Amino acid sequence: MTSRIPRDSRLRLVGPRPLAAAPAVIDQRRPRRPAPRPPQGTPARSELAGMARSGLAGAARVARWADTALGPGRGSPTDDGKATLSDASAERAAADLGLTPAQVRADWDTARLAGLVEVHGGSARPGWRLRAWNRDDSAVLRGWVALFDAWSLAVPEPADQEPAAVAEVVSAMPQVLSFLQLSAGPVPVSQLLDLLQQRVTELRTARCEIDYADRGEPDEPGAAGVHGLRLAPAAAEPPAPAPAPLEPLLDWSLRALASVGALTYGAGQATLTALGSWAVWVKLEQICVAAQSPAGNIEQGAEDMLRGCAQLRPNAARAEYRAWLAARPVGSAVTELIGAARGEDALLRGLAFEALRVVGAPAEPEVRAVLDDPTLRPYALLWLAEHDGADPEDAHEVLTREEATWLWVDTAAAVADHGEAPLLVRHLESAVQPTVPALLKEVRAVGHPRTVQVLVALAAAHPDPALAKAVRRAAFQVHTGG
């Protein structure tokens, strides 16, 4: 007696899904958080994007010129290994665009900070945002926010200032910007200076850099002692140098923020622009979302943060990633995410690369460095393909058949560990193999360490007895080495 269902069941082919791992394999019945609304009076996103396009028009023009005049096979715009525009390229662009070389260099640097031009090793090439500049408001606003985040690089800091003082002011400016955003109008620079001084003092106190110059001293040298004994006067120590005044650094900060379009500065006052106010609100909202999450994601390590995001919907998870990344240096954050991806939990592997998508270009060197790791290679290849402009629906084409099969098993492991049985059954639809026997043959050959567990879980979940039996047999053969 035979089954009515053919043993060689054809799989229904569907469009391959990029990184079929994380967010799609979990139960997402968590109540949705209402989308926060920006402060009253904030222009619509389309208007904000128009403002950003206008402010970055020069940078986009130079980036397009480089794309056309210096594309693949037509020379490199840089020659110093740091993606700085070469003299020859600057002069050529100035002649073509009717600008001065200094204007071209300024627009080139702005384009780099906004992601219109991306640095890859020692060379630069047009970024994906340039391709989407005229049609995607989100790409434009992300580019402007990237420029806003890099405001301290837009204008050189005063040459006579200590690097430590500059770093303190850069660390303190988010609080100053928050105050400007809450004020919703012009604020005297003197008031901003008082706030900056308070914040810098807090930073120094947190590092235990306490100024002892104002400490009360005994009336007479040597008069104070232990248990009433008089002590010889101690040798006088040279007084600590007075902290550098913050006025020049505040002036530099406000000029730099004005140069990127975040505020207007003049006549002893500073006022956030509509774009600047919106960007500050977005960052505050991201931090609040992360701080309100059950796991306190913004303060967690990468693994705990990713686990805390596992139950969130994709948009909410991306907001958490952005807030987590904003709270730490990009380099160390990328290293931590790569470390989480190397672990045994396949769900965290997929989520880690989703977070690396939020990082963008700064993560490219470390992502390329893991291409030799068989566990991470398929994820890295997909990340790099999308980073280079491939459509996410087509990015899977960069994978070999073996790499696609390995990724299918890894994703199935995430489903088996964190999802529900019906999800594992539906995961069959994303396999590149047209039949179950072909899939089982290639799954056995690919050598994934979780192959047996995945096949056992699939056999237990599948409603077709004949297919489940074939999958169990394959699991047994893998287990016994047959």
Side-chain angles (χ1 to χ4, degrees), residues 31-175:
R32 297 187 66 177
R33 180 179 184 267
R37 295 186 178 183
Q40 187 174 5
T42 302
R45 285 179 63 87
S46 59
E47 294 181 51
L48 291 169
M51 297 175 190
R53 285 190 180 95
S54 177
L56 293 171
R61 178 174 52 179
V62 169
R64 289 195 183 97
W65 173 87
D67 189 19
T68 301
L70 300 172
R74 293 191 292 275
S76 171
T78 65
D79 60 7
D80 65 347
K82 300 179 181 178
T84 303
L85 196 64
S86 66
D87 292 339
S89 296
E91 292 174 2
R92 182 179 170 188
D96 290 349
L97 300 175
L99 303 172
T100 66
Q103 289 173 318
V104 169
R105 288 188 181 281
D107 288 338
W108 174 264
D109 291 339
T110 300
R112 289 173 57 189
L113 296 177
L116 295 172
V117 171
E118 294 178 354
V119 178
H120 298 267
S123 63
R125 64 176 182 238
W128 68 270
R129 287 184 183 130
L130 183 65
R131 313 294 187 202
W133 197 249
N134 293 327
R135 57 179 170 78
D136 189 342
D137 288 347
S138 294
V140 174
L141 290 174
R142 288 177 185 174
W144 189 86
V145 170
L147 177 64
F148 171 74
D149 287 339
W151 66 264
S152 62
L153 303 177
V155 174
E157 67 267 19
D160 58 345
Q161 296 293 326
E162 292 290 333
V166 174
E168 288 174 340
V169 169
V170 172
S171 298
M173 281 306 293
Q175 187 164 336

Side-chain angles (χ1 to χ4, degrees), residues 12 21 25 49 79 122 173 232 273 284 290 300 323 391 407 410 418:
R12 183 169 65 87
V25 305
D79 60 7
M173 281 306 293
T273 62
L284 289 173
Q300 301 297 320
D391 189 304
L407 184 60
D410 206 50
H418 301 277

Side-chain angles (χ1 to χ4, degrees), residues 3 6 22 60 123 162 191 220 258 294 303 352 423 458 470:
S3 170
S123 63
E162 292 290 333
Q191 194 171 357
E220 180 182 342
E303 287 195 18
L423 290 174
L458 180 59

